[in-house]
Amino acid sequence: MKDVLVIGGNRYFGKRLIALLQESGHRVTILNRGSSGAPEGIEHLVADRDDEAALESVLAGRSFDVVVDQVCYTPRQAEIARRVFAARTRRYVMTSTVEVYEYEDSAVPVTEDVLDLGTVTVDTGGAWDDPEFREAHYGEGKRQAEAVFAAAVPPFAWTSVRVAHVLGGADDFTGRLDHYARRVRAGEPIAVPTVNRPATYVYVEEIAAFLAWAVDAEFTGPVNAHSHGPLTTAEICAEIEKRVGGRTVFQEVEVGEVSPFSFARSYAMDNSRAVGLGYPFSHSSTWLADAVAETIDEVTA
């Protein structure tokens, strides 16, 4: 049994992670701003993770075997976390994203070392407190946050789980599959780039299971997390057609906004490191139909 602190992220795959940790017998504590509570039997700490003094106060006298940070979006948040938890945890697991590779365009799936964190410029003076700025710089914020942990002196025992695009669940709050379902049902055009690249995905249940597995592991540094089998926009829409009827109509555009799961550049991830560490990812073909059904059926209910 381990003492595990989960910062934020108690919805979607975060709530599944918390349930898995509890089922595994770990002693789980949740820390958030108090906007949502904690499941029965789980301790709840309330503090704003951007307020270093508040964090120090609520964590006074506390330490944890592992901290899972589900809501670290900026280098400023990473610096606060590094200072506050340096002497309070043996290992730090940061939930990151495939979008750290936003500047890549690779003919082959990218491995973790394609991104050299030592070359990333960290700018804690940016407008990171502005929600619109943070959203517009989501991938960059995660890149810089990882770079903060990587540059820690003395070394900080951390790992960043670079999560692929997540599909599935009746509680998918992103609206991305609904974007396609509404257009497929009505036969309305779906904007895609002229050259539309496949991408890597992960089932909501699988990424929760991977994070729970990572809590019990000992590796450090970045790790790509996704199911085998990249998916194209066409494959996702074909599965939606089976569920809702209608017809997929792609409209190629050279400029302007494209639909959520269409990509002009190629930055599919390579999960060889995670597999080598012992995690047996599934293939997307085994869960895509269920993922679409769970989300679409809930939206159309």
Side-chain angles (χ1 to χ4, degrees):
M1 180 182 71
K2 292 182 177 178
D3 282 318
V4 182
L5 175 69
V6 179
I7 304 175
N10 56 339
R11 64 174 178 170
Y12 203 32
F13 64 82
K15 72 180 183 183
R16 291 166 171 80
L17 165 64
I18 290 166
L20 289 172
L21 292 174
Q22 193 175 29
E23 290 168 9
S24 297
H26 295 308
R27 185 182 296 111
V28 183
T29 302
I30 294 174
L31 187 151
N32 61 31
R33 291 176 298 180
S35 55
S36 58
E40 184 177 350
I42 292 181
E43 185 179 4
H44 185 196
L45 302 179
V46 177
D48 184 344
R49 59 110 14 92
D50 293 319
D51 186 334
E52 187 167 352
L55 276 179
E56 290 281 5
S57 177
V58 79
L59 293 168
R62 301 292 300 268
S63 63
F64 304 91
D65 296 306
V66 183
V67 173
V68 182
D69 192 343
Q70 293 275 71
V71 289
C72 185
Y73 299 117
T74 75
R76 192 177 302 155
Q77 291 175 332
E79 287 198 342
I80 291 173
R82 192 182 69 185
R83 289 192 295 265
V84 170
F85 289 102
R88 286 190 171 94
T89 188
R90 188 174 57 80
R91 190 159 167 273
Y92 204 91
V93 179
M94 171 192 165
T95 302
S96 190
T97 173
V98 61
E99 297 303 329
V100 299
Y101 300 115
E102 64 181 330
Y103 304 125
E104 301 300 327
D105 190 354
S106 172
V108 297
V110 295
T111 55
E112 292 83 357
D113 57 6
V114 164
L115 173 55
D116 181 357
L117 292 172
T119 67
V120 174
T121 300
V122 173
D123 178 17
T124 56
W128 296 111
D129 292 334
D130 179 355
E132 290 186 6
F133 179 89
R134 193 163 57 238
E135 182 175 355
H137 297 81
Y138 175 67
E140 183 60 30
K142 289 285 191 179
R143 280 164 59 91
Q144 291 189 30
E146 287 193 30
V148 167
F149 291 125
V153 178
F156 189 70
W158 68 284
T159 183
S160 59
V161 178
R162 294 173 177 168
V163 180
H165 306 289
V166 183
L167 292 176
D171 53 338
D172 179 357
F173 60 90
T174 66
R176 291 170 179 171
L177 282 181
D178 183 48
H179 171 95
Y180 288 107
R182 286 186 284 107
R183 285 162 176 76
V184 168
R185 189 183 293 110
E188 295 177 351
I190 296 170
V192 296
T194 304
V195 178
N196 191 11
R197 308 291 188 184
T200 37
Y201 293 81
V202 66
Y203 186 37
V204 62
E205 305 290 347
E206 184 158 47
I207 191 56
F210 181 85
L211 286 166
W213 173 81
V215 165
D216 285 323
E218 297 295 334
F219 64 86
T220 57
V223 62
N224 294 336
H226 63 85
S227 305
H228 300 300
L231 295 170
T232 64
T233 316
E235 287 171 322
I236 294 172
C237 287
E239 203 58 56
I240 292 173
E241 274 189 19
K242 294 177 187 176
R243 201 74 195 173
V244 306
R247 184 170 63 98
T248 299
V249 179
F250 289 130
Q251 180 179 25
E252 294 182 357
V253 296
E254 293 186 6
V255 294
E257 186 174 354
V258 295
S259 55
F261 294 133
S262 54
F263 308 96
R265 61 192 170 81
S266 181
Y267 63 126
M269 294 192 294
D270 182 322
N271 63 11
S272 296
R273 183 179 189 223
V275 171
L277 288 167
Y279 194 83
F281 285 107
S282 66
H283 194 281
S284 60
S285 62
T286 66
W287 54 255
L288 180 59
D290 288 340
V292 168
E294 290 166 358
T295 303
I296 298 302
D297 289 359
E298 178 65 19
V299 170
T300 58

